[in-house]
Structure formats: structure tokens, C-alpha cells
């Protein structure tokens, strides 16, 4: 049961938070804390109080589960802030926080309310509430600026980025950093020193020495607001956070606390908060696979990986591995390609050094983990192979047959194919249980998602080991079933196809891109097509069309771009034209291609006006077919749960996290509405092959009819 414990020794009451694994502030922990504080403040044998966390961790903040269970901010109100002021910051006896490992969110706010803080090396301090769609609610908007200065506090809150012990010491967020074994003693001594008047008792809420003068503070806040509107124009809660900070600066910390409560409640009422909390838990639940992670197996460590192919993908995968300390054997077909592959890994590492993300010596150490190879010598030593050769079934089949001969009998054999059936890839082997897809997204050392594609034959152990690898190389894994496009590319195929259809219907591609970016995607479908390359688009599109001909729109414009060598960014022209710095601009030369595509499609006559469609119509025309395909993927069991698809869409395609992922968003819109709109378009195109593109699938229809949530999963919506 979550709670607190109190132990009084030599005049100091040590109160520890207990709620494994991260001592989150569950209401019963807060209740226990306040009860113990009241007791300690009243007891004559207590001179001072130390607050710490059990099991080597201080606290990761308010219990986020409460936001799911209780609506409207999980029951956070101004009574908690009053207790922080009256029992921790300004009670009769001084308080010191003894912090290990982490003080995040409410945990950091708790530490800030104490009169001093001591921590262990490596501890992180931060207020990451904004990443959950809320703002700090236990006084962080007031106490952090008064501790580290406004500029730094605003940066920490708006970016949700924690700082480490050394930086915290420099900024005055902690008073001392001591080894773990000395933490409690140091904190107790500091508390007694404050009680004895040997050390000043700091009540942060009333401090002004670290705050910039009003004339300096207001421009900082103004600039932060401008930047927020520019970078996160869909989000309100960062502005609410700035409102609370500003109010406190103008009216004092105590009034600021009141404003913080109001702003917190306003943020907590928004869908953004619900969506981001959903993503927080969904991201953690992708690692829990029924029948695999609960099967009592232990993951085998992967220390050596062979990567086949040193192209963009292979070199990115190799980079991700060496960054995690994994040895890599990079194989290429000839010395020239091998040198190019090694060069790419080196330049990935150099770029990290330039950005200050790693030291030169760390980059050198990482590069030393890579060994080049032109044949399969050395493959007998690897724990796993990731094949990233060209997308050709025959070549892949030969490679896998060779891998079975050269690798250990327990080595995992994976392919990074984005389109080819995994069973086909392994067809010429006798070890289907060791074969799976490890589908990385480009650039593989940066993109956070790893689709782990299992076939019916892939063993639990192999899936478990690959899950472990994903954690090691800092990727979020999503385990998916084997089908064309797997989860991400399959669900997203209607995205580009619907956008191309709109162009063929007479709409301007640049308007479409603007609307889709306005929806929250990092870029519109045409800008994305240019980034990926029209040649890649054509190749992937062909696979999709071959697999799902009854619901595909063969986008002629992509073919025309290929014919005219307008492959996108890499060739300087695609839907857009690009300058030397790869900045995109609309291109008038695209017009003849668009006209040709429209002529071929026969959906629009140049002499008539384009159809009248609002921005919302356009967004729905593009995203609702994507939802429809997502429903099929859930229904077919390609993903284990809808939340996995949400994570895959956010991390693989940049679907806005603040909308909670594809299916979470679709449920907010409503299955019934989506189904009606799709049926309307299917009707509009009835008699033409396009009707199939929009036809609602059985799962969506059943959800709409029965009023069940799309996220409820397979079986929830009976198709009868
Ligand atoms: C009023 C206040 O201002 C409001 C708040 O405090 S809101 C909360 C603010 N705090 C945060 O946002 C921190 C969220 N947590 C994290 O960033 C990371 O979990 C962490 C850095 C603490 C630990 O990361 P890591 O070691 O990779 O472990 P991770 O898998 O993320 O978490 C371990 C478990 O703790 C849970 N957890 C982490 N923080 C939690 C929290 N604040 N509440 C409830 N559960 C939490 C996770 O859900 C996970 O549970 P699981 O094992 O059942 O899946």
C-alpha cells in the first residue's frame, strides 16, 4: 500500500515516501506525508525534518494513474499547496529533502518546498509536467524561478528537460551533492544546522534574489510566449504555464500559487492532457506482450550484431547499436560500399559530437566497436543479424539461407524490410523460429520506433530478446504481426493516396500540405513524399496496391514525378523545389504534371472549378481512410492493442502526440461520425473503383453501430 514511514532519531524526523517503483505521489502518499509532518511539527523531541524516498529513488511526481482514474486533474487542488506552504516550507520546524536518483514533477516541487536539498551524484531534477499536457501544480511555477532564475526555469518547464546534480548545484537547486551512503546523515545535519540557526532557513516562495527584475522578466516571458506560439501552435497548456509564472512575478509567490491552481485546472480539462497521459502509458505498455513477457523467460543479452548493408538504413542501425555499446560487424558486397558505409557511421557520430551530444573520445570509442566485413567470416560470433540489403525477395532469401549456414544455431536473424513478407524472406531456411522483422525508421539512429514483426513461427524467446535490444538501443518497440506494410506503412498508405486523389480532384497540393501540417503532422503528405523520395514512394506504393487492390488509389502523380526525375529533396525537385540548403518552395513547373495526372485520373475537368472543401473536409478526407485501415489492423490482430498502434503512429509517422495517436483521436471524433463520412464518400464514388478506398471496414461499422470505442479492441465490437 503506498504511504510514508517516519523514524525519529536524535531530534530529526526522517519521513520516507513509499510507492515503488518511483514513489509517485499517490493521494495516500500525500496523506501519509502530511499526517507525519503534522506529527513531527508537533512533537517536542523533533527539531527538524528530513524528507526522502524509499528504495534509492526520491520521487517521480504526482501519481499519473490518478489522471486516468479521476477526471479534471486527478483531485489536485489548493489544499495540497497550502500543506506544502504550512507544513513543509514555513512550518515550525525546518525541512530538508534528501534526494536520490530523481526528483521530477511533484517530487521536484516537494523538494523545492523544503528549506534545503541534498542529493546523490547522477540525480535528475525537473518539471516535465508539460509533456503530460498539464503544468506544475505543487508550486513549481513559483518556486523554480525563485530558485534558479526565470530564464532557466522557463527553459526547464517549457522543454520538460531535467537537469543533473552538478548543474543543479551550480544553479542553487541543491545545496550539496554527497555519496549515497552519506545522504541521510548529510541531510539530517543540514536540517539540525538550520534548526540551530547555523544555516539560513530559505523559504523559496518569498525569495526574490534569483528573480530577474520586472523590466527584464517580462520580455523573457514575452519571448517565451512568442516561441511557444510559433513552435507549438496547437498547444494551450504551455501558455497557461507562462501565465501562472507571470502572475507570481507580478503579484508575489503566494498569489502565484492560486493562479497556478487555476491554470492547472484549465490545462487538465483539455483533451491534450488526456491524450498525452494516454501516450505516456501506451508507450510503456508496448513492452508488455501477452504470452511473451509474462512467460517466465529471461532475455538473452545481445552484445554483437551483424548488419548487412551499409546504406542509409544499415549505417543508421549500426550507429544505434554502437551508441549502446554493442559491437557491430558491418558487411557490404565490396570495399567501395563498405568504406561508404563505415563513413556514414563515422559521420553520424561526428554530427552528434558537433551538436554537443557526445564527446569526441566517446565517438571514437563507439566507432572502434565497428568492424567491416566483405564475407560471412565472423558471423559465427554474433548474437543477432539485421539484414538491410536491397528490397529484393530473391536476394534476401539467398542471404538468409547463407546466414543459417554461417551463424550460431541460436542467433536471431532479422530483416529490416519495410515491404516484404517476413515468411517469404526466410522461406529458404529451416529456422523460422529465429526469424523476425526488425523494422527501423529512417534515420535509424534518430527515429525512436522499432517495429518488431513476428510471424506465427517466431519464438517467444526471440521476440523477448529483440524487445530487450530495443530498450538497450533506446527505441520504443511495437510488436506487430506479419502483413504488407506491417503496422505503420500499412495504416498510412491511404494518407498519401487520399492526398493525391484530392489533387486529381482539382485541389492545390500546397494547400493540402498546409492543412495537414496545421492538423499537427510534422509536414504535409507531399513534403513527406519529397523527403522519402518519389522512387521509394512508387516502390512501396506498388506493394500496397498489389496487396490491397480493392482499396488502393494508384497515384499517377507519383509515377509522373518518377518519369520526370523529380524524386524530391535528393534530386532538388519533387512536389517542391529545393535550394542548396534544402529549403522547400512551391514550384510552378509542377503544374503540367498535376494537369497530366488530373487528365489521366478523370476526376476533374480543368474547365470547371475545383470542389468546395473546407480545411476540415480535407483533413477528414485524408485521415479518416487512415483510421479505417487502422481499424483493419486492430481487427486482424496485427497489433495486440489499439494503444500500440497509437504509439507506432506517433513515433513512426509523426502523428501528433497531443492528439493521443490515431485511434485515441478517432475515438474523440467518434466512430459513428467517421463511419458516416466514409460512407458518404464511398457513395459519392459508387460504381468506380474508388468506392472501395472509402468503404468503412466491418470493425469500424460495428463500433459505430454499437457505440463501442475503436480502442476497445478486437472482440469489443461484434460484427453481427
Ligand atoms: C502536481 C504535479 O506537478 C503533477 C505531476 O507531478 S505529474 C508527474 C510528473 N512526472 C513525470 O512526468 C515523470 C514521469 N516519469 C518518467 O519520466 C519516467 O517514468 C522516469 C524517468 C521516472 C523513470 O523512467 P524509467 O526508469 O525508464 O522507467 P519507466 O518505465 O518510465 O517507469 C517505471 C514505472 O513507473 C511508472 N511511473 C513513472 N512515473 C510515474 C508517475 N509519476 N506516476 C505513476 N507511475 C509512474 C511507469 O508507468 C512505469 O510503470 P510500469 O512499470 O507499470 O510500466
Amino acid at each position: 500500500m503506498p504511504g510514508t514511514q517516519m523514524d525519529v532519531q536524535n531530534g530529526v524526523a526522517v519521513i520516507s515516501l513509499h510507492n515503488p517503483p518511483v514513489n509517485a505521489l499517490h493521494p495516500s502518499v500525500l496523506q501519509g506525508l502530511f499526517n507525519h509532518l503534522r506529527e513531527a511539527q508537533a512533537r517536542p523531541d523533533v527539531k527538524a525534518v528530513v524528507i526522502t524516498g524509499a528504495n534509492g529513488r526520491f520521487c517521480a511526481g504526482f501519481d499519473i494513474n490518478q489522471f486516468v482514474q479521476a477526471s479534471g486533474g486527478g483531485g489536485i487542488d489548493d489544499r495540497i499547496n497550502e500543506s506544502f506552504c504550512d507544513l513543509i516550507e514555513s512550518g515550525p520546524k525546518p525541512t530538508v529533502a534528501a534526494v536520490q536518483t530523481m526528483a521530477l514533477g511533484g517530487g521536484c516541487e516537494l523538494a523545492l518546498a523544503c528549506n534545503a536539498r541534498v542529493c546523490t551524484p547522477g540525480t535528475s531534477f525537473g518539471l516535465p509536467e508539460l509533456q503530460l499536457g498539464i503544468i506544475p501544480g505543487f508550486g513549481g511555477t513559483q518556486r523554480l524561478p525563485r530558485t534558479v532564475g526565470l530564464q532557466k526555469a522557463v527553459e526547464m518547464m517549457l522543454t520538460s528537460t531535467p537537469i543533473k546534480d552538478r548543474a543543479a548545484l551550480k544553479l542553487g537547486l541543491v545545496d550539496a551533492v554527497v555519496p549515497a551512503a552519506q545522504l541521510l546523515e548529510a541531510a539530517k545535519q543540514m536540517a539540525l544546522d538550520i534548526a540551530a540557526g547555523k544555516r539560513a532557513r530559505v523559504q523559496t516562495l518569498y525569495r526574490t534574489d534569483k528573480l530577474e527584475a520586472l523590466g527584464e522578466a517580462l520580455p523573457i516571458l514575452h519571448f517565451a510566449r512568442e516561441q511557444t506560439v510559433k513552435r507549438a501552435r496547437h498547444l494551450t497548456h504551455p501558455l497557461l504555464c507562462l501565465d501562472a509564472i507571470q502572475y507570481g512575478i507580478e503579484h508575489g509567490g503566494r498569489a502565484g500559487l492560486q493562479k497556478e491552481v487555476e491554470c492547472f485546472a484549465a490545462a487538465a480539462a483539455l483533451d491534450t492532457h488526456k491524450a498525452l497521459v494516454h501516450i505516456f502509458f501506451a508507450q510503456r505498455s508496448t513492452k508488455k506482450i501477452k504470452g511473451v513477457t509474462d512467460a517466465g523467460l529471461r532475455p538473452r543479452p545481445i552484445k554483437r550484431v551483424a548488419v548487412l548493408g551499409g546504406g542509409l538504413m544499415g549505417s543508421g542501425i549500426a550507429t544505434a547499436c554502437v551508441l549502446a555499446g554493442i559491437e557491430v560487424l558491418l558487411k557490404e558486397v565490396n570495399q567501395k560500399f563498405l568504406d561508404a558505409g563505415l563513413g556514414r557511421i563515422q559521420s553520424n557520430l561526428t554530427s552528434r559530437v558537433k551538436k554537443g551530444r557526445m564527446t569526441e573520445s566517446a565517438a571514437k570509442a563507439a566507432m572502434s566497436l565497428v568492424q567491416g566485413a566483405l564475407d560471412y567470416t565472423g558471423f559465427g560470433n554474433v548474437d543477432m543479424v539485421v539484414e538491410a540489403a536491397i528490397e529484393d525477395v530473391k536476394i534476401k532469401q539467398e542471404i538468409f539461407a547463407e546466414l543459417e549456414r554461417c551463424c550460431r544455431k541460436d542467433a536471431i536473424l532479422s530483416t529490416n524490410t519495410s515491404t516484404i513478407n517476413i515468411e517469404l524472406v526466410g522461406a529458404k531456411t529451416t529456422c523460422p523460429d529465429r526469424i523476425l522483422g526488425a523494422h527501423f525508421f529512417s534515420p535509424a539512429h534518430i527515429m525512436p520506433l522499432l517495429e518488431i514483426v513476428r510471424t506465427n513461427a517466431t519464438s517467444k524467446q526471440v521476440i523477448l530478446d529483440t524487445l530487450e535490444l530495443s530498450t538497450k538501443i533506446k527505441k520504443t518497440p511495437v510488436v506487430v504481426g506479419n502483413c504488407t506494410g506491417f503496422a505503420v506503412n500499412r495504416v498510412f498508405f491511404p494518407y498519401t493516396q487520399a492526398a493525391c486523389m484530392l489533387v486529381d480532384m482539382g485541389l492545390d497540393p500546397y494547400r493540402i500540405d498546409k492543412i495537414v501540417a496545421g492538423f499537427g503532422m510534422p509536414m504535409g503528405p507531399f513534403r513527406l513524399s519529397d523527403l522519402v523520395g518519389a522512387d521509394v514512394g512508387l516502390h512501396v506504393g506498388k506493394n500496397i496496391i498489389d496487396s490491397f487492390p480493392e482499396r488502393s488509389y494508384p497515384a499517377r502523380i507519383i509515377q509522373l514525378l518518377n518519369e520526370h526525375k523529380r524524386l524530391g529533396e535528393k534530386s532538388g525537385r519533387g512536389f517542391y523545389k529545393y535550394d542548396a540548403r534544402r529549403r522547400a518552395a512551391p514550384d510552378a513547373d509542377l503544374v503540367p504534371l498535376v494537369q497530366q495526372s488530373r487528365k489521366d485520373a478523370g476526376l476533374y475537368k480543368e474547365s470547371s472549378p475545383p470542389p468546395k472543401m473546407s480545411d476540415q473536409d480535407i483533413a477528414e478526407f485524408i485521415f479518416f481512410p487512415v483510421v479505417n485501415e487502422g481499424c483493419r489492423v486492430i481487427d486482424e490482430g496485427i497489433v495486440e492493442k489499439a494503444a500500440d498502434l497509437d504509439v507506432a503512429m506517433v513515433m513512426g509517422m509523426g502523428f501528433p502526440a497531443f492528439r493521443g495517436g490515431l485511434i485515441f483521436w478517432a475515438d474523440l471524433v467518434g466512430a459513428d461520425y467517421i463511419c458516416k463520412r466514409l460512407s458518404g464518400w464511398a457513395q459519392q464514388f459508387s460504381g468506380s473503383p474508388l468506392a472501395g478506398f472509402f468503404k468503412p471496414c466491418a470493425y469500424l461499422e460495428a463500433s459505430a453501430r454499437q457505440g463501442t470505442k475503436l480502442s476497445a479492441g478486437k472482440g469489443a465490437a461484434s460484427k453481427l
Side-chain angles (χ1 to χ4, degrees):
M1 175 70 180
T4 52
Q5 280 177 4
M6 188 166 84
D7 180 29
V8 180
Q9 272 179 12
N10 304 326
V12 182
V14 177
I15 303 174
S16 49
L17 313 169
H18 280 257
N19 188 11
V22 292
N23 297 325
L25 297 172
H26 182 273
S28 59
V29 174
L30 284 170
Q31 198 56 52
L33 172 68
F34 298 147
N35 287 343
H36 277 134
L37 279 164
R38 272 186 213 101
E39 187 189 331
Q41 297 287 11
R43 268 171 69 157
D45 60 331
V46 172
K47 294 194 190 94
V49 177
V50 165
I51 301 175
T52 191
N55 303 319
R57 287 171 163 190
F58 185 69
C59 175
F62 186 67
D63 180 358
I64 301 169
N65 292 293
Q66 301 307 306
F67 297 133
V68 182
Q69 285 150 21
S71 59
I76 290 177
D77 58 31
D78 51 0
R79 279 172 305 179
I80 298 175
N81 264 335
E82 274 168 28
S83 299
F84 269 48
C85 292
D86 302 342
L87 293 171
I88 303 174
E89 186 165 54
S90 307
K93 292 158 193 175
T95 53
V96 172
V99 183
Q100 276 170 288
T101 314
M102 65 183 67
L104 299 174
C108 184
E109 293 170 292
L110 171 59
L112 285 168
C114 291
N115 302 124
R117 290 153 290 281
V118 187
C119 77
T120 51
T123 297
S124 305
F125 291 86
L127 294 179
E129 282 87 344
L130 264 64
Q131 72 185 4
L132 296 170
I134 45 168
I135 70 165
F138 291 163
T141 61
Q142 307 306 308
R143 291 192 182 92
L144 190 63
R146 284 166 174 78
T147 307
V148 301
L150 181 63
Q151 182 90 49
K152 185 69 193 171
V154 164
E155 179 199 312
M156 283 173 69
M157 284 185 258
L158 289 187
T159 61
S160 290
T161 309
I163 56 168
K164 286 280 183 194
D165 55 318
R166 287 281 143 202
L169 186 66
K170 216 167 157 191
L171 287 162
L173 209 167
V174 282
D175 299 275
V177 180
V178 299
Q182 294 164 24
L183 180 70
L184 269 188
E185 281 318 308
K188 282 185 201 169
Q189 191 53 54
M190 200 176 274
L192 286 171
D193 286 351
I194 297 172
K198 292 186 200 158
R199 192 183 168 98
R201 181 173 182 187
V202 179
Q203 295 175 52
T204 304
L205 198 59
Y206 308 101
R207 271 178 84 174
T208 51
D209 56 312
K210 282 286 183 87
L211 276 184
E212 289 81 348
L214 203 59
E216 210 182 316
L218 293 181
I220 291 174
L221 290 166
H222 180 72
F223 180 73
R225 243 183 216 105
E226 274 185 348
Q227 291 298 307
T228 303
V229 171
K230 214 156 120 191
R231 290 198 193 130
R233 63 195 150 122
H234 305 88
L235 304 181
T236 309
H237 66 287
L239 299 174
L240 288 165
C241 181
L242 293 169
D243 287 351
I245 298 171
Q246 180 160 345
Y247 198 86
I249 286 175
E250 288 172 338
H251 302 276
R254 202 76 205 210
L257 283 185
Q258 192 52 46
K259 182 74 177 172
E260 183 187 270
V261 169
E262 282 167 38
C263 292
F264 181 93
L270 298 170
D271 282 342
T272 307
H273 168 52
K274 295 183 193 85
L276 290 172
V277 167
H278 166 71
I279 288 294
F280 176 84
F281 286 116
Q283 208 180 326
R284 279 151 185 86
S285 76
T286 63
K287 291 176 196 141
K288 293 166 193 162
I289 310 296
K290 250 190 255 157
V292 174
T293 47
D294 56 2
L297 299 168
R298 288 170 70 87
R300 297 170 299 176
I302 293 176
K303 295 181 182 155
R304 273 180 294 274
V305 168
V307 178
L308 259 112
L312 203 62
M313 282 312 292
S315 56
I317 295 165
T319 308
C321 289
V322 294
L323 284 173
I326 296 171
E327 288 175 35
V328 169
L329 190 59
L330 183 76
K331 180 182 176 303
E332 256 300 357
V333 287
N334 60 40
Q335 192 63 46
K336 190 175 157 211
F337 285 4
L338 180 60
D339 290 343
L342 294 170
R344 283 189 195 98
I345 302 171
Q346 181 62 64
S347 81
N348 289 341
L349 295 171
T350 307
S351 146
R352 286 177 69 85
V353 174
K354 276 191 195 143
K355 287 179 187 151
R357 301 189 64 198
M358 78 191 299
T359 60
E360 227 162 277
S361 63
K364 219 169 163 187
M367 195 64 208
S368 74
L369 296 173
V370 189
Q371 210 190 317
L374 293 174
D375 56 31
Y376 289 96
T377 318
F379 273 58
N381 267 332
V382 301
D383 304 307
M384 181 171 184
V385 180
V386 185
E387 170 274 313
I390 58 165
E391 290 286 81
D392 182 308
V393 186
K394 278 207 179 114
I395 293 179
K396 285 189 195 293
Q397 285 178 340
E398 278 162 26
I399 289 175
F400 271 70
E402 193 64 29
L403 288 173
E404 189 180 18
R405 274 193 290 277
C406 303
C407 294
R408 281 195 331 250
K409 293 284 167 246
D410 62 348
I412 299 170
L413 309 181
S414 75
T415 170
N416 178 54
T417 181
S418 54
T419 50
I420 303 173
N421 185 322
I422 309 295
E423 275 166 14
L424 267 183
V425 171
K428 290 194 175 161
T429 68
T430 57
C431 55
D433 55 318
R434 289 195 278 139
I435 295 179
L436 83 172
H439 183 215
F440 290 80
F441 290 76
S442 184
H445 58 299
I446 294 172
M447 289 290 280
L449 183 69
L450 175 62
E451 267 184 320
I452 299 177
V453 189
R454 60 173 162 190
T455 68
N456 290 333
T458 312
S459 80
K460 291 173 186 180
Q461 185 67 53
V462 162
I463 298 169
L464 188 71
D465 298 345
T466 313
L467 279 168
E468 181 77 359
L469 172 80
S470 72
T471 305
K472 201 165 172 190
I473 61 175
K474 298 193 171 65
K475 305 283 173 213
T476 297
V478 175
V479 176
V480 299
N482 187 20
C483 67
T484 303
F486 316 130
V488 174
N489 285 344
R490 168 158 169 200
V491 169
F492 245 78
F493 84 78
Y495 175 73
T496 315
Q497 290 188 355
C500 290
M501 199 187 297
L502 283 171
V503 171
D504 288 344
M505 286 163 64
L507 279 104
D508 174 26
Y510 304 121
R511 178 181 172 216
I512 295 168
D513 262 5
K514 226 169 156 183
I515 292 166
V516 173
F519 177 84
M521 296 295 290
M523 62 189 84
F526 301 116
R527 182 67 186 82
L528 179 67
S529 166
D530 278 0
L531 187 71
V532 173
D535 48 345
V536 178
L538 192 66
H539 180 76
V540 174
K542 186 181 172 323
N543 259 292
I544 296 283
I545 294 164
D546 288 350
S547 300
F548 312 116
E550 76 294 351
R551 57 177 191 273
S552 288
Y553 182 70
R556 176 84 177 106
I557 184 84
I558 302 287
Q559 210 176 323
L560 288 165
L561 287 170
N562 274 278
E563 285 165 17
H564 288 78
K565 307 264 178 295
R566 297 180 65 114
L567 301 183
E569 242 186 73
K570 60 185 166 195
S571 65
R573 284 188 167 197
F575 282 100
Y576 293 83
K577 60 181 174 192
Y578 295 87
D579 64 15
R581 293 174 61 195
R582 297 200 158 193
R583 276 180 309 205
D587 187 0
D589 291 348
L590 184 71
V591 173
L593 270 68
V594 167
Q595 284 169 341
Q596 183 63 48
S597 179
R598 286 176 181 161
K599 205 168 149 209
D600 296 347
L603 296 175
Y604 166 71
K605 284 196 180 67
E606 291 286 346
S607 51
S608 46
K612 279 208 172 87
M613 289 180 82
S614 68
D615 289 3
Q616 186 180 334
D617 287 335
I618 289 173
E620 291 178 357
F621 194 94
I622 290 174
F623 285 107
F624 287 178
V626 175
V627 171
N628 202 16
E629 198 60 32
C631 289
R632 287 192 181 95
V633 159
I634 296 169
D635 197 24
E636 289 169 25
I638 298 298
V639 286
E640 210 190 35
K641 44 194 182 304
D644 289 353
L645 190 55
D646 285 335
V647 172
M649 291 295 114
V650 168
M651 302 205 150
M653 286 308 295
F655 192 90
F658 69 83
R659 294 193 190 273
L662 183 72
I663 301 298
F664 185 90
W665 169 71
D667 272 333
L668 286 180
V669 175
D672 188 41
Y673 177 74
I674 295 172
C675 197
K676 276 195 186 119
R677 295 277 351 225
L678 285 168
S679 302
W681 291 312
Q683 186 68 30
Q684 183 183 331
F685 293 105
S686 81
S688 102
L690 292 189
F693 184 84
F694 295 104
K695 188 179 176 328
C697 69
Y699 180 88
L700 175 60
E701 270 184 336
S703 293
R705 198 172 50 243
Q706 294 164 18
T708 47
K709 288 205 162 205
L710 295 171
S711 56
K714 208 177 162 184
S718 149
K719 276 164 247 154
L720 294 174

